[in-house]
Amino acid sequence: MSWVCRLYRSSLGAKYVMATTGLLLFGFLIAHLLGNLQIFAGPDAVNSYAEKLRSLGPLLWVARIGLLVIAGVHIATAMKLAKANQEARPVAYAKVTHRAVKPATKTMVLSGLVILAYVIYHLAHFTWGVIQADHAHLEEELGGGATRHDVYSMIVLGFQTWWVSASYLVALVLLALHLCHGITSVFQTFGLHHSKYACAIKMAGPAIATLIFLGYASIPAACWLGLVKLAEAQ
Amino acid sequence: MSGHDHGHGHGHAPNPAPSHAPSHAMMRVNLHIWRQKDAHDDGRMVAYPNVECSPDMSFLEMLDVLNERLQEKGEEPIAFDSDCREGVCGMCSLTVNGTPHGPRKGTTVCQLHMRSFRDGEEIFIEPWRAKAFPVQKDLVVDRGAFDRIIAAGGFVSVRTGGCPDGNAIPVPKEEADQAMDAASCIGCGACVAACPNAAAMLFVGAKVSHLRHLPQGQAEQKRRAQAMVDTMDAEGFGNCSNYFECEAVCPKEIPVKVIAELNRDYLSASLTREERKADGGGGG
């Protein structure tokens, strides 16, 4: 396995790791979005989806630990690269004029760290139920005395609070910025570059980032516009 | 000429359009130049106000004039690299106002002229800044790291002897063009100087791309990519973050496509190359 260590230690190996883990985390973003968009199908759809996820038991934990490891490797490798990059220029220029550097690229570490902080807060809110605890343990009556976790009401009540929606949107903007650079970079890192599709690759990052932003932002927007409301209010 | 697009803002008559005829009016610039006694000195920016020059002088000629003035006053002249002064050797290496080789695209600093600047402009002149390019004196840096990367794999192994027939191996025109585009790299190091991470990927990519598009370079393609990247890492260059600033400042306008090709070759070499036990991957 020495070739694996050698590959990881090389500057390009670290980039393949960044691209691969980034792509896997992007996969999670898509899956999470598709799951959450079921809120538009009503309380039953979301609540039974949540119930199904929770009933996966050990499989759910495999997915959770997998995601944790992938995110951990992505962050650790990013920190390693950022440190090496800082060391590569010990004396800074007195004056710097860039021609091509884009804000999204320049702020990758910053946007990444803010997303990390947001994810922890987001878990504390909707998974651990630490924030807005009174919304976190609502139960939906299923008749016959049976109940199930009312995720639908938790989400709607959560997003009706202005600061929950505002922080969500700020994090989404940074996530979109992060994806703008990340998605286009994956192609370059794996050597997929050709004049035939160079333009499409260049557009892929901003286009997909915009779609992800709109998809996720549609949920608090719908809660605010009253398109999605509490079951009793319907 | 981008330098002429900016107005003076001092109530002068509008600037005449840039003229190709020699202009007799002299201009003055205020220089801020990095001075460093030797490799161990900390160095600092030193101001040289009101340096008189002709708009038709090249940037390096302007520095020659300044150096003559300094020598007349008994001061140490400013050390900077230059050789051909025709934009083909890759020796000149000045960061002018924060951009390697200065404000004109696709131009080495020796081919930059003072008419690209405004009369009275403040101009910052610094050396390439990278750990792998240590400053030797003033604006002169040691680019030996590039030589060591080339020595690690930037070649094809051939038997010397009788001169082979020039056209013995046919190369399709499209491939030859791509090889020639990459081969136009003059190894000046502007890509490293411009990269926010001081990465050398455009240089290494150009050298790998140059040979990978030719039949003579195919046999050693995988070993070359690995050996050159490993040497690049060992020399202390940064990592590529796809800023693409290198492509924007390259005086030969080498495209970042060569970096993608290097990424592809290195991955393919890491996954599929047969390695001998004794082969560490470095060296030729």
Side-chain angles (χ1 to χ4, degrees):
Chain A
M1 291 297 275
S2 68
W3 68 271
V4 177
C5 298
R6 183 174 152 200
L7 179 59
Y8 181 73
R9 275 200 303 270
S10 74
S11 60
L12 294 204
K15 282 178 60 72
Y16 303 138
V17 169
M18 287 306 289
T20 309
T21 51
L23 213 54
L24 291 169
L25 291 170
F26 176 69
F28 167 76
L29 273 181
I30 300 282
H32 189 56
L33 176 62
L34 292 179
N36 287 2
L37 284 179
Q38 294 182 61
I39 196 158
F40 289 103
D44 190 49
V46 176
N47 289 347
S48 60
Y49 166 68
E51 177 111 328
K52 249 178 254 160
L53 271 187
R54 290 206 173 194
S55 66
L56 287 175
L59 267 182
L60 180 64
W61 278 104
V62 169
R64 281 174 169 168
I65 291 167
L67 269 174
L68 203 65
V69 169
I70 291 164
V73 171
H74 191 73
I75 296 163
T77 310
M79 292 297 123
K80 179 187 118 167
L81 288 172
K83 186 167 169 278
N85 292 340
Q86 222 162 29
E87 288 169 356
R89 175 160 297 137
V91 181
Y93 284 107
K95 188 171 175 157
V96 181
T97 313
H98 287 312
R99 281 191 188 151
V101 171
K102 293 188 184 70
T105 313
K106 220 172 164 177
T107 52
M108 280 306 268
V109 172
L110 183 71
S111 58
L113 287 175
V114 174
I115 292 164
L116 171 67
Y118 183 80
V119 165
I120 293 169
Y121 153 81
H122 194 60
L123 284 171
H125 187 182
F126 287 133
T127 304
W128 305 325
V130 181
I131 297 160
Q132 291 193 325
D134 46 335
H135 300 164
H137 305 291
L138 298 172
E139 293 290 318
E140 183 192 12
E141 302 288 337
L142 290 176
T147 61
R148 67 177 171 193
H149 188 207
D150 190 1
V151 175
Y152 181 88
S153 300
M154 177 178 76
I155 296 171
V156 175
L157 286 170
F159 280 134
Q160 280 175 355
T161 316
W162 73 268
W163 52 266
V164 170
S165 290
S167 60
Y168 183 83
L169 288 176
V170 169
L172 274 184
V173 169
L174 288 164
L175 176 69
L177 261 184
H178 203 76
L179 291 176
C180 262
H181 174 79
I183 290 170
T184 297
S185 283
V186 164
F187 294 95
Q188 174 80 1
T189 298
F190 287 122
L192 298 167
H193 191 297
H194 197 282
S195 51
K196 280 184 207 161
Y197 47 79
C199 186
I201 287 175
K202 211 172 164 185
M203 294 309 298
I208 294 172
T210 307
L211 285 178
I212 291 280
F213 176 85
L214 291 176
Y216 276 104
S218 70
I219 298 167
C223 291
W224 275 94
L225 294 172
L227 298 173
V228 167
K229 43 193 163 192
L230 286 182
E232 304 87 78
Q234 275 179 340
Chain B
M1 238 160 276
S2 58
H4 281 281
D5 296 341
H6 311 288
H8 285 245
H10 292 301
H12 290 296
N15 273 343
S19 159
H20 294 290
S23 45
H24 301 290
M26 296 298 271
M27 62 187 284
R28 284 168 193 276
V29 285
N30 297 308
L31 304 178
H32 303 266
I33 301 177
W34 183 259
R35 300 303 309 259
Q36 184 173 333
K37 224 181 266 166
D38 54 38
H40 309 291
D41 183 25
D42 280 342
R44 70 217 174 280
M45 296 300 288
V46 175
Y48 296 90
N50 287 319
V51 175
E52 198 179 50
C53 59
S54 152
D56 297 320
M57 280 180 184
S58 76
F59 199 82
L60 301 189
E61 284 167 343
M62 181 274 294
L63 287 179
D64 291 338
V65 169
L66 172 62
N67 273 345
E68 280 177 24
R69 302 278 174 275
L70 290 178
Q71 276 172 305
E72 281 166 12
K73 286 196 278 183
E75 288 177 36
E76 181 79 9
I78 297 150
F80 63 91
D81 268 327
S82 76
D83 194 357
C84 75
R85 298 204 176 193
E86 291 180 339
V88 292
C89 79
M91 203 58 198
C92 57
S93 47
L94 303 177
T95 304
V96 180
N97 280 344
T99 307
H101 291 301
R104 273 177 65 87
K105 278 201 83 175
T107 308
T108 55
V109 73
C110 65
Q111 292 287 291
L112 178 70
H113 289 81
M114 293 314 293
R115 55 179 170 267
S116 291
F117 298 90
R118 285 179 287 116
D119 190 23
E121 187 164 342
E122 304 281 326
I123 303 175
F124 287 75
I125 310 171
E126 296 176 77
W128 286 175
R129 296 250 183 245
K131 184 179 156 201
F133 287 164
V135 175
Q136 300 300 293
K137 184 176 181 176
D138 297 337
L139 302 167
V140 176
V141 297
D142 177 4
R143 283 169 284 181
F146 270 10
D147 297 335
R148 291 185 286 277
I149 292 172
I150 293 290
F155 52 82
V156 291
S157 302
V158 291
R159 293 220 175 273
T160 54
C163 187
D165 179 2
N167 293 318
I169 306 171
V171 181
K173 175 78 166 80
E174 305 77 44
E175 289 294 307
D177 282 350
Q178 294 202 50
M180 280 305 289
D181 285 350
S184 66
C185 168
I186 53 177
C188 64
C191 43
V192 176
C195 176
N197 301 341
M201 290 289 282
L202 195 69
F203 168 75
V204 179
K207 298 307 169 192
V208 164
S209 177
H210 161 202
L211 296 173
R212 84 195 284 281
H213 284 288
L214 297 172
Q216 294 90 335
Q218 300 283 315
E220 292 163 298
Q221 185 177 333
K222 289 178 183 174
R223 189 190 67 181
R224 176 182 309 118
Q226 272 189 319
M228 291 181 82
V229 168
D230 291 347
T231 308
M232 172 185 84
D233 290 348
E235 291 289 345
F237 290 102
N239 305 279
C240 179
S241 292
N242 303 331
Y243 283 106
F244 300 163
E245 189 66 18
C246 48
E247 178 185 66
V249 304
C250 176
K252 298 299 157 188
E253 305 188 299
I254 309 254
V256 291
K257 179 198 79 170
V258 300
I259 298 181
E261 289 177 341
L262 175 61
N263 288 338
R264 199 188 309 164
D265 282 356
Y266 191 80
L267 184 62
S268 147
S270 298
L271 297 179
T272 64
R273 185 181 155 226
E274 295 296 337
E275 289 179 59
R276 282 177 298 168
K277 276 272 180 320
D279 187 0

